[in-house]
Amino acid sequence: MAKLPRYGEPDGDAERRRYAGIVAQAFAGDVDAFTGWINSAGPDVRLLRDGDVQAGLVFYRMGQFFGGRSVPTWGVAGVGVKPELRSQGMARELMSALLQENFELGAPLSTLYPAAPKLYRNLGWEFAGSRCAYAARLSELPHGDGSLQVRPLDDSAQELLSELYRRRHAVENGCLDRIDRIWERVKRAPRETPLCAYVVERNGVPEGYTLYIQKREPGAGFRYDMHARDLVCLTRDAARELLGFFARNRSVANHLYFYAAPQDPLLIELQLNQEVRVHERQDWMLRIVRVPDALQQRGYSAHVKTEAQVTIDDPALPDNSGDWTLQLSDGRMQVERGGRGGPRLHVRGLAALYSGSLAPAQLRHAGLLTGTEQHDAALQAMFAGTTPWMPDFF
Ligand SMILES: CC(C)(COP(=O)(O)OP(=O)(O)OC[C@H]1O[C@@H](n2cnc3c(N)ncnc32)[C@H](O)[C@@H]1OP(=O)(O)O)[C@@H](O)C(=O)NCCC(=O)NCCS
C-alpha cells in the first residue's frame, strides 16, 4: 500500500478517530463528541502523520464582513498535537502547510481564536477583533412600550434568522457570514437547557430576534441566568421590547448574558439604567493570505477617493511581499504591483489595519508600520470603520 503523504486529509474513519482522540485530550473533551464534530467538517480536516496521526486541525470555509462585503475566509479550529510530540515544531509545520494550501487554493483570509498566539503570530496572523460577552441585571433592563410583539419561533424559521442576522451584522467589521456549520454551533444546546427562539415584530414585520438558553449555576438555588446566543435588534424599539421580554423573567432569573459589539447600540440602551460589565472577552486573529484578493474583495466607503503605496513584509508567504500600490475610488480598491517610496507594513500589521482594529499611528507604536508617514492619512481613510468583533466562537 502506498505511503500516505505527511500532510493531508484523513484517510478514512480510523484516522479521523485518532485525530478526535488528540483533540479530545487537548481540550479535555469527549472523543465521540469530537468525532461527530470532525465528521461534520467533511473534507476540511488536515493531519500530520508519520505512520500514525501526530497532529491535526479543522477549518470552516465561510465569510467575514469587512466594509459591508463578505470576504471568504478559512476559519481554523481544533489545532492539536499529541502531548508527547509537543515543542518539536509540529504545530508550526501543520499551520505552515495549511497556510500554503490556503494561499494556493483557498480563501484570501484566514481567521482563528488562538490558545497559543505566538504560534500564529510567527506565521503572519495578528489580533484583529474581539468577541465580548456582557452581563446585565434583569431587574434593571429597560422595557418597550408594547408597540411591538414578541412571538416564539420554531425550527422552520432559519431563513428569517439568517436574513435578520445578515441585516444587522453585514455592516459590522469582522462578523461572520455564517455557514450552516456555524448556525448549528449557535443553535446547539444541551438537552437540559433547550434553545428558546423568539422574533420581535411590528404589525407582523420582524425587527429582531433572540436565541437563548437558561442555565442554573450550581448552588444558586432555583434561580438561573439567561444566556443569549444571538440578540439581534434592527431598531431601538426592538431592543427595548426584547430586553423587556427578558426582564419579565426577573422573579426567577438574575442576569442576561449576551454578545455585542464593543460600541453596540444595545449597550447605549442598557447603560441608561446600569453599568454593563464585560463578562468575558476573547480576541480573534486574522491572516491576510492573498494580499491583492483580500484588499479587492473588501468593501470601502464610496466617498473616499485616495491612493497609497506600501511595501509589505511577509516572511511566511513571500509572494505577498514587495511594493504595492492601492487605489481606492467608488468603493472599489485596485491593487497593483509596484510604487516605490511607501512605508514598510508587516503582513500582521496589514491584518489589524484591514479589520479596522488598529490605525496607522497605532501600528507605528507596535512596530508593524515603519518608514515614511506620507501615506498614513490615506491608509487611515481607506480602512476607517466600525470596531471589529463577532458574536461567534469556532
Ligand atoms: C499549542 C500546541 C498546538 C503547540 O504545538 P507544538 O507542536 O508543541 O508547537 P511548536 O513546537 O510548533 O511551537 C510553535 C510555537 O508555538 C508556541 N507554543 C508552543 N506550545 C505552546 C503552548 N503550550 N502555549 C503557548 N505557546 C506555545 C511556541 O513558543 C512556538 O513558538 P517559538 O518557536 O517562537 O518558541 C500544542 O501544545 C497543543 O496541542 N496544545 C493543546 C491544544 C491547544 O492549545 N491548541 C491550540 C488551539 S488554538
Side-chain angles (χ1 to χ4, degrees):
M1 206 168 74
K3 191 169 181 268
L4 290 167
R6 170 110 179 103
Y7 165 84
E9 251 181 71
D11 181 45
D13 289 346
E15 279 202 334
R16 282 177 185 271
R17 186 84 185 163
R18 281 206 280 283
Y19 166 49
I22 295 173
V23 256
Q25 190 176 2
F27 296 100
D30 174 72
V31 182
D32 289 332
F34 273 107
T35 303
W37 178 65
I38 290 162
N39 288 339
S40 73
D44 296 341
V45 182
R46 293 293 179 271
L47 307 177
L48 277 190
R49 56 167 87 76
D50 186 3
D52 200 7
V53 175
Q54 298 175 317
L57 58 79
V58 155
F59 62 98
Y60 296 82
R61 295 170 204 253
M62 53 191 171
Q64 212 174 352
F65 293 108
F66 290 105
R69 295 183 71 197
S70 172
V71 185
T73 188
W74 278 13
V76 185
V79 178
V81 175
K82 269 190 170 174
E84 67 275 24
L85 299 175
R86 290 181 189 166
S87 295
Q88 298 173 25
M90 227 159 255
R92 186 185 165 92
E93 185 185 348
L94 175 65
M95 288 306 297
S96 300
L98 178 81
L99 187 57
Q100 197 57 44
E101 182 184 355
N102 197 159
F103 177 79
E104 286 165 14
L105 305 167
L109 303 178
S110 173
T111 315
L112 55 83
Y113 281 96
K118 200 173 172 199
L119 163 66
Y120 307 108
R121 259 205 181 117
N122 286 345
L123 293 171
W125 276 263
E126 191 43 79
F127 285 109
S130 64
R131 178 198 199 221
C132 289
Y134 295 89
R137 286 183 297 279
L138 292 181
S139 55
E140 289 165 57
L141 292 180
H143 295 254
D145 62 7
S147 55
L148 274 69
Q149 303 78 46
V150 177
R151 173 174 71 81
L153 291 172
D154 61 25
D155 288 346
S156 65
Q158 183 54 48
E159 213 173 303
L160 174 65
L161 298 182
S162 298
E163 189 214 320
L164 294 171
Y165 169 87
R166 203 180 171 86
R167 281 172 61 194
R168 173 69 190 89
H169 293 86
V171 298
E172 298 275 346
N173 279 336
C175 286
L176 294 185
D177 188 2
R178 288 179 178 166
I179 54 171
D180 290 350
R181 276 163 71 205
I182 296 292
W183 275 108
E184 282 156 21
R185 284 191 75 89
V186 173
K187 293 165 125 182
R188 192 181 310 135
R191 202 147 40 96
E192 61 279 14
T193 58
L195 188 79
C196 305
Y198 290 86
V199 65
V200 58
E201 299 171 321
R202 189 192 305 270
N203 303 322
V205 180
E207 291 189 12
Y209 71 89
T210 185
L211 301 175
Y212 68 90
I213 60 168
Q214 305 183 142
K215 217 158 79 183
R216 186 167 287 123
E217 294 306 331
F222 68 87
R223 298 186 72 82
Y224 57 88
D225 287 320
M226 310 186 77
H227 295 256
R229 296 280 174 82
D230 272 353
L231 177 51
V232 171
C233 308
L234 301 184
T235 62
R236 181 182 181 203
D237 286 347
R240 292 183 68 86
E241 204 57 59
L242 280 179
L243 291 170
F245 171 79
F246 280 111
R248 289 191 281 278
N249 291 279
R250 63 190 180 280
S251 56
V252 281
N254 293 329
H255 295 98
L256 168 65
Y257 293 93
F258 61 99
Y259 299 102
Q263 281 93 27
D264 202 285
L266 259 177
L267 298 177
I268 298 175
E269 206 52 52
L270 287 164
Q271 284 159 341
L272 294 174
N273 292 353
Q274 60 177 299
E275 187 193 352
V276 181
R277 66 190 164 80
V278 176
H279 169 66
E280 190 183 9
R281 173 179 159 161
Q282 291 161 295
D283 292 323
W284 43 267
M285 297 179 107
L286 182 68
R287 209 313 171 177
I288 307 296
V289 177
R290 279 200 308 277
V291 167
D293 292 344
L295 288 168
Q296 287 173 175
Q297 290 178 31
R298 191 191 188 284
Y300 300 89
S301 166
H303 298 274
V304 177
K305 185 175 166 57
T306 189
E307 179 181 312
Q309 269 123 44
V310 286
T311 304
I312 302 281
D313 285 325
D314 190 346
L317 288 175
D319 283 3
N320 284 326
S321 291
D323 297 331
W324 296 97
T325 296
L326 282 46
Q327 283 176 305
L328 179 61
S329 66
D330 301 323
R332 308 300 296 189
M333 180 76 90
Q334 284 299 320
V335 180
E336 275 164 25
R337 281 264 175 216
R340 289 178 175 284
R344 295 195 83 84
L345 177 60
H346 196 281
V347 76
R348 286 170 38 221
L350 179 62
L353 181 69
Y354 183 97
S355 75
S357 154
L358 293 181
Q362 295 166 308
L363 291 172
R364 285 186 183 279
H365 290 302
L368 294 169
L369 180 68
T370 55
T372 176
E373 294 179 14
Q374 200 190 326
H375 301 262
D376 286 17
L379 291 170
Q380 174 141 4
M382 285 174 176
F383 296 99
T386 60
T387 306
W389 71 290
M390 71 170 83
D392 296 299
F393 184 78
F394 57 87

